[in-house]
Amino acid sequence: MGEMKLEALLGAQDLERCPFPIPSGWFFVDYAESLNAGEMRNVFVFGQEWVLFRTESGKPGMSDPYCPHLGAHMGHGGKVCGEHLRCPFHHWEYDTEGWCKNIPYAKVTPPIIKKQAILRTLPMQEKYGMLWAWYHPEAQPPAWDLPYVPEMEDPTGYAGSRRGSWTADTCIQEIAENGVDVAHLKFLHGAPMIPPVEARYDGHRNFLDIGKGYIVGEGFGPGINVMRFTQEGVTATMFSYTTPISHEKSQMNMSFRHVDYDEGTKELIVSKKIIDHMIGAAEGEESAGFESVDFIVWNNKKYRPNPLLCDGDGPVLQFRKWFKQFYPEKDQAKV
């Protein structure tokens, strides 16, 4: 048996499920209404625990839990004091940017605290009624802003409070790759055909057209995708905001919005049917949404960095080339 042939046959032995670190980007942390002023709690995302808090004036913060002083966990016994997070051990206080603002018993403070932040905190924004954190594996500052999404931001014109959350035992890249893998829509989801797909990429953004306008999507880094589905002249929107819990576990979150049609109109009925189809199986349709079929694949597959592709596959390699920018350089070869 030739060397290359044997290498191909035995290659699966060396495959990893999720060979990447957590990518950089803006990621959803929680819904804004679930964190009150003065409240703090521990959350596990991006492969570690963090302390999520909101100052008394309402500013959200998210910090590494271990105090730079002697390592106490500030999420156990700590407290929000005004605009600061206070460590329970010696009452050192930190602002949302990680600067030490008070050491109550020190006559002479360490010089470094006047020069820089000493506690790692994540940049945060409150938008779309949600709390967002910028994560970068090497703690670099945000490289882009959160986008304007009219369905999620405009005060009038849109409706729909439906939203959901699902856990997938895979990395965020594997989930996102489904967007360009149009062949699986026929064979896994049961769609009547393999739809044509066009994809293009521009910096941190990607643009997707599946089925010549049936699904038009726009992505903003790894953590935000806006997918607009159109049937019978009616468009409904899936706002998708997946969070990496660890390098091999992701929390898929979605909000579903539609034009604020009057009750009882055909347009409203079509809008709700489109949304049903996005998630599972809509009444009277043969094909299934992601909830019904994708998880059995995601939860058990391994990543092939050098896949065997054929002419019917979507632009998988172009997608991977775009996605690798969100990893540190040392990890980009794994993509």
Side-chain angles (χ1 to χ4, degrees):
M1 187 175 286
E3 183 180 339
M4 286 306 294
K5 187 176 182 183
L6 181 61
E7 182 182 333
L9 291 175
L10 299 180
Q13 295 179 163
D14 300 320
L15 294 179
E16 297 178 60
R17 278 185 41 73
C18 305
F20 319 110
I22 291 163
S24 60
W26 284 104
F27 296 105
F28 167 82
V29 176
D30 208 339
Y31 296 101
E33 74 266 13
S34 67
L35 186 68
N36 297 320
E39 185 182 351
M40 55 164 280
R41 64 173 172 272
N42 300 317
V43 296
F44 192 99
V45 289
F46 316 135
Q48 69 163 79
E49 198 169 42
W50 305 83
V51 179
L52 176 66
F53 65 99
R54 194 190 284 279
T55 71
E56 295 291 353
S57 73
K59 188 176 182 183
M62 195 163 166
S63 86
D64 187 280
Y66 300 105
C67 181
H69 176 215
L70 284 171
H73 193 302
M74 293 185 289
H76 293 281
K79 186 179 179 181
V80 175
C81 294
E83 297 306 291
H84 305 150
L85 178 64
R86 189 179 76 182
C87 176
F89 203 8
H90 300 85
H91 286 196
W92 288 36
E93 295 182 14
Y94 304 90
D95 67 11
T96 57
E97 279 74 48
W99 288 74
C100 181
K101 306 303 278 188
N102 185 34
I103 304 174
Y105 57 90
K107 293 188 173 73
V108 180
T109 58
I112 193 171
I113 74 170
K114 303 293 184 186
K115 298 176 182 176
Q116 67 172 74
I118 59 170
L119 173 69
R120 183 179 184 185
T121 60
L122 301 182
M124 294 201 74
Q125 286 193 35
E126 190 164 337
K127 197 172 174 71
Y128 327 118
M130 304 170 186
L131 301 174
W132 295 82
W134 170 266
Y135 177 80
H136 190 288
E138 297 172 342
Q140 297 296 314
W144 66 85
D145 291 326
L146 287 167
Y148 165 60
V149 182
E151 293 95 324
M152 300 298 296
E153 297 183 71
D154 286 5
T156 60
Y158 297 97
S161 57
R162 190 171 181 182
R163 65 192 188 197
S165 186
W166 301 264
T167 302
D169 292 326
T170 191
C171 59
I172 196 168
Q173 180 180 328
E174 289 275 54
I175 295 171
E177 192 172 289
N178 260 28
V180 294
D181 177 12
V182 288
H184 93 287
L185 296 175
K186 174 177 173 61
F187 299 104
L188 182 64
H189 291 258
M193 60 175 283
I194 300 174
V197 59
E198 293 180 17
R200 60 185 178 89
Y201 303 94
D202 181 13
H204 70 278
R205 299 168 71 182
N206 70 65
F207 305 87
L208 198 61
D209 185 332
I210 299 173
K212 298 186 183 300
Y214 169 51
I215 303 174
V216 177
E218 188 171 2
F220 303 86
I224 300 178
N225 280 283
V226 184
M227 309 293 286
R228 296 180 174 97
F229 292 63
T230 301
Q231 288 181 8
E232 302 180 52
V234 174
T235 300
T237 302
M238 172 197 290
F239 183 69
S240 175
Y241 41 107
T242 299
T243 302
I245 302 302
S246 67
H247 81 283
E248 57 180 23
K249 186 183 288 290
S250 304
Q251 194 74 29
M252 297 172 63
N253 309 290
M254 297 179 185
S255 292
F256 303 93
R257 302 281 284 169
H258 56 82
V259 174
D260 191 9
Y261 295 113
D262 290 336
E263 197 65 39
T265 59
K266 177 192 172 186
E267 289 81 3
L268 183 60
I269 293 168
V270 172
S271 297
K272 292 182 176 180
K273 184 178 179 182
I274 295 172
I275 291 170
D276 284 343
H277 171 73
M278 293 177 193
I279 304 168
E283 187 177 345
E285 292 186 0
E286 295 296 322
S287 59
F290 72 89
E291 188 179 58
S292 306
V293 291
D294 280 312
F295 287 95
I296 194 168
V297 175
W298 285 330
N299 291 348
N300 296 285
K301 77 190 299 290
K302 286 189 174 182
Y303 181 81
R304 284 197 180 271
N306 300 300
L308 288 174
L309 299 173
C310 64
D311 61 342
D313 288 314
V316 171
L317 296 183
Q318 295 95 315
F319 169 82
R320 291 184 177 185
K321 181 179 179 182
W322 170 77
F323 202 97
K324 73 166 55 178
Q325 69 180 294
F326 306 115
Y327 298 123
E329 281 191 29
K330 62 183 174 60
D331 296 295
Q332 292 184 3
K334 298 175 183 177
V335 181

